[in-house]
Amino acid sequence: MANVDVVARARVALFDVEGISAERLVGIYRVLGEVDGPEHYARRLAEVLHTTGHIFSRHGADMDLTIGRLEEALDLCRGLDPVEHRDRDALLTGILTTHEWALYRYGRRPEGLATRRLILDLGRASRGDAWRLADRMLHVAVALVEDGEHDEAASLFAEAVEVTAAGARQSWRLDDDRHRHVTARAAHLAGLGRHAEAAAAYRPLLDESRPHEDRQVPILLYGARLLARADLPDESRAVTARAVRMYEDFAGSDRFARALRPDRVAFHLALDGASDEFPGSAHGTVHEHWSPQHMDRYAAAPATIRAALADPATSDAERVVLKRRLNVRATYAETTREAARRRLLPSYTDVLDLARRVATADPATGVPLLTRALTDRALLLAGVGLHTEGLTDLKEAAALTG
């Protein structure tokens, strides 16, 4: 039984609960639970255990302590009465999400994947928000890609597309965001070398009746590349021409420029640079779907890239690819139009100049690199408000594709 003075101090402390740390609240709720019965404080204890587990995992605390806190929170949450606590499943999902992140952080990948599957199962059972369900499918699919389990991943990518397509007419959010799920599926297929399937999967986004100025130009450009890889050159050229016309039509639109802010430009550049990155990357997905280990690997890559750039044996063609990888990472990090113009534009121009030299010396190797470098800079120029210069680059890129 808890000491009377300790219990009294615990009760008094709760009068200022907002000013108490989560770690101290864990102790207070444990003490009061011994006196009043654990069921009276189960939810509050679960919440503060979750909070401390989250903090511990983010700061690299002892694994057993972190995972122990989160597993205790899960046990308490599962024991809550669903009638009294109608949001129990939402609370449970939140704790599970932190739990799976921590499991991956500590290298326990099989358990992390199992927890992602459990979160997906809860989403299926709830028959709730289709957008959230599709997003949970992406989380599992991405984990499978990282582990090299491509067949099951392909199935989940396809199912996520079906879920969003089915609900698109009823939900603006699903309709507005469906391109993300279609892109993830097509990019995965393309990464496996299944180019005809990738082009077919991406076709719904190439419908000219859906000219979203905030994303359609880069969508068309990526679609043109998929069609080219699928050995459909005439369609590829036609889609490229549409992208150029649309870029010209939207030139000067502030909405177009806002939509091509640096992080979105980076997404499209990363998508088109899938083959340049290391295996296990789920291209066409955003970083929030990746495991912490994969995010760390991606973040640590610049040191290796710079070492390769410093190596005299690295060819100019390889330098174009390496510098572009650095540009993609730098573009993700920028947040303002002014900073992008000042810091990113010179780097993009440097890659473009180098690609021109490679194309002159070795057209077979260099022209595809030059085409991509021109397209990259065209998107960045649009995002920083320099549409005229960007249109020149895009037209040159289109001419190089025939």
Side-chain angles (χ1 to χ4, degrees):
M1 178 64 68
N3 181 280
V4 174
D5 288 341
V6 172
V7 173
R9 286 196 297 271
R11 293 197 191 283
V12 170
L14 288 182
F15 285 110
D16 185 30
V17 69
E18 300 254 335
I20 302 175
S21 71
E23 181 63 14
R24 189 179 173 202
L25 281 171
V26 170
I28 288 173
Y29 290 140
R30 289 196 196 284
V31 167
L32 296 180
E34 289 182 30
V35 177
D36 299 333
E39 68 277 5
H40 294 292
Y41 296 95
R43 182 191 176 108
R44 282 178 280 184
L45 180 56
E47 289 174 339
V48 294
L49 286 167
H50 178 206
T51 299
T52 57
H54 174 85
I55 293 170
F56 292 165
S57 67
R58 296 285 169 170
H59 290 85
D62 177 77
M63 179 184 72
D64 290 337
L65 175 62
T66 302
I67 299 299
R69 287 287 177 92
L70 293 170
E71 289 180 347
E72 184 181 357
L74 287 171
D75 288 342
L76 288 167
C77 188
R78 291 187 176 105
L80 295 176
D81 183 346
V83 176
E84 181 181 353
H85 302 274
R86 296 184 180 181
D87 63 340
R88 185 190 67 172
D89 285 352
L91 178 62
L92 179 61
T93 298
I95 301 172
L96 284 169
T97 300
T98 302
H99 189 224
E100 65 89 2
W101 193 95
L103 288 167
Y104 275 110
R105 168 57 70 203
Y106 292 110
R108 294 164 62 169
R109 294 191 63 86
E111 294 166 274
L113 175 58
T115 306
R116 285 194 178 193
R117 290 187 191 278
L118 180 55
I119 294 170
L120 174 57
D121 290 344
L122 286 171
R124 291 188 193 280
S126 70
R127 301 181 180 275
D129 189 332
W131 185 92
R132 292 186 186 280
L133 177 60
D135 201 57
R136 292 177 187 183
M137 289 174 182
L138 287 193
H139 270 86
V140 177
V142 167
L144 290 166
V145 170
E146 291 182 7
D147 291 341
E149 301 292 338
H150 292 288
D151 288 344
E152 187 181 355
S155 176
L156 279 170
F157 281 128
E159 188 179 0
V161 171
E162 291 174 4
V163 167
T164 53
R169 292 182 181 179
Q170 288 76 41
S171 167
W172 69 267
R173 190 180 189 189
L174 283 171
D175 184 54
D176 188 63
D177 207 43
R178 74 182 183 121
H179 77 285
R180 186 160 64 104
H181 301 89
V182 173
T183 300
R185 182 189 181 201
H188 180 242
L189 292 168
L192 297 176
R194 294 159 61 175
H195 299 302
E197 292 174 78
Y202 203 69
R203 281 187 186 279
L205 298 187
L206 304 182
D207 180 359
E208 198 164 21
S209 68
R210 303 176 58 84
H212 298 296
E213 67 182 63
D214 58 343
R215 69 177 67 102
Q216 197 69 6
V217 169
I219 282 175
L220 290 172
L221 292 171
Y222 184 61
R225 283 170 175 71
L226 291 179
L227 290 165
R229 292 167 191 155
D231 199 23
L232 296 168
D234 291 341
E235 283 190 72
S236 176
R237 284 191 289 269
V239 171
T240 299
R242 282 172 52 201
V244 174
R245 290 196 304 271
M246 195 166 289
Y247 188 109
E248 191 167 16
D249 289 343
F250 293 153
S253 162
D254 190 55
R255 181 182 173 192
F256 185 41
R258 286 199 313 273
L260 288 177
R261 65 194 189 205
D263 62 322
R264 292 186 180 177
V265 170
F267 172 83
H268 295 293
L269 266 60
L271 185 62
D272 207 30
S275 61
D276 302 335
E277 292 292 346
F278 35 74
S281 297
H283 303 290
T285 61
V286 293
H287 293 183
E288 66 194 43
H289 293 119
W290 299 358
S291 71
Q293 292 171 315
H294 194 77
M295 290 178 67
D296 289 347
R297 189 180 182 192
Y298 185 86
T304 303
I305 294 172
R306 291 190 180 96
L309 286 170
D311 186 346
T314 301
S315 70
D316 281 348
E318 291 169 332
R319 290 178 190 281
V320 170
V321 173
L322 292 168
K323 288 186 174 186
R324 185 182 189 276
R325 290 176 67 190
L326 290 178
N327 280 350
V328 173
R329 286 162 171 79
T331 306
Y332 270 121
E334 289 296 356
T335 56
T336 68
R337 187 180 302 183
E338 294 72 20
R341 185 183 298 195
R342 184 174 67 256
R343 289 197 285 255
L344 296 178
L345 195 51
S347 297
Y348 279 61
T349 301
D350 178 52
V351 170
L352 178 54
D353 291 343
L354 183 55
R356 285 194 191 281
R357 293 199 294 273
V358 175
T360 299
D362 180 5
T365 300
V367 168
L369 295 176
L370 176 58
T371 303
R372 188 169 70 170
L374 286 162
T375 302
D376 291 349
R377 196 172 72 164
L379 292 177
L380 181 67
L381 286 166
V384 300
L386 299 174
H387 304 87
T388 302
E389 295 92 326
L391 183 59
T392 300
D393 281 354
L394 195 59
K395 285 182 174 179
E396 184 182 353
L400 288 171
T401 62

